Amino acid sequence: MSTRSKALNAYRHGLRATRIAFQNDTEILSAARAKMRSGMASPPNPKLTAEEQIQHLEDVAVFLRRNLVQGKKVEGANMKQPRYHLNIHGDTELGDNEAIADPTAKVKTNLKARPFKCSDKKQ
């Protein structure tokens, strides 16, 4: 596969990741896509090789899909504490607090998304 086609695939993966991560926030979605477009036109770190830049874009796309979750404050009259609705989707990486509770524990790097159920989710 040529470097050009790898770069286009990485760019497409980045665009899909922004669509997943920012699907209900058009302002942030368009800003993220504009930043990605400008990064493709003039790479932010010209010292990196083309392959390293492509890998960086792929890593950013994976991070956006797995680790970024948007929250929206839920307004309500009877709430003493604010509540937030989180946009958790199928690609979201849900880990446990094992690494936080035990600093010597090894962090699992290949966690899969688990179904998320929220009893007080309002639609």
Side-chain angles (χ1 to χ4, degrees):
M1 186 180 282
S2 72
T3 303
R4 179 176 168 80
S5 61
K6 287 180 185 178
L8 288 174
N9 280 337
Y11 183 63
R12 271 191 296 260
H13 293 158
L15 291 177
R16 287 182 190 134
T18 58
R19 186 184 68 224
I20 291 169
F22 308 118
Q23 74 187 98
N24 294 326
D25 193 346
T26 56
E27 184 178 337
I28 300 296
L29 175 63
S30 61
R33 288 184 170 189
K35 183 74 172 173
M36 193 175 298
R37 193 171 28 256
S38 70
M40 288 296 286
S42 59
N45 191 351
K47 294 178 184 176
L48 296 177
T49 65
E51 292 295 325
E52 291 171 333
Q53 290 174 357
I54 291 168
Q55 185 58 48
H56 177 71
L57 182 54
E58 289 285 358
D59 293 342
V60 167
V62 168
F63 179 83
L64 287 173
R65 270 196 334 269
R66 290 185 183 170
N67 299 350
L68 192 71
V69 176
Q70 285 192 310
K72 184 177 181 182
K73 189 173 183 177
V74 177
E75 299 293 332
N78 297 336
M79 288 189 212
K80 295 178 184 174
Q81 302 243 342
R83 290 190 183 186
Y84 294 89
H85 173 74
L86 299 178
N87 182 22
I88 296 177
H89 47 81
D91 290 333
T92 302
E93 184 178 285
L94 299 174
D96 52 16
N97 290 333
E98 187 176 300
I100 295 171
D102 182 12
T104 61
K106 293 188 178 187
V107 178
K108 297 176 190 174
T109 57
N110 197 8
L111 296 174
K112 299 290 182 183
R114 297 187 307 251
F116 178 77
K117 294 179 182 176
C118 183
S119 60
D120 59 356
K121 182 178 174 184
K122 295 181 182 179
Q123 295 206 7

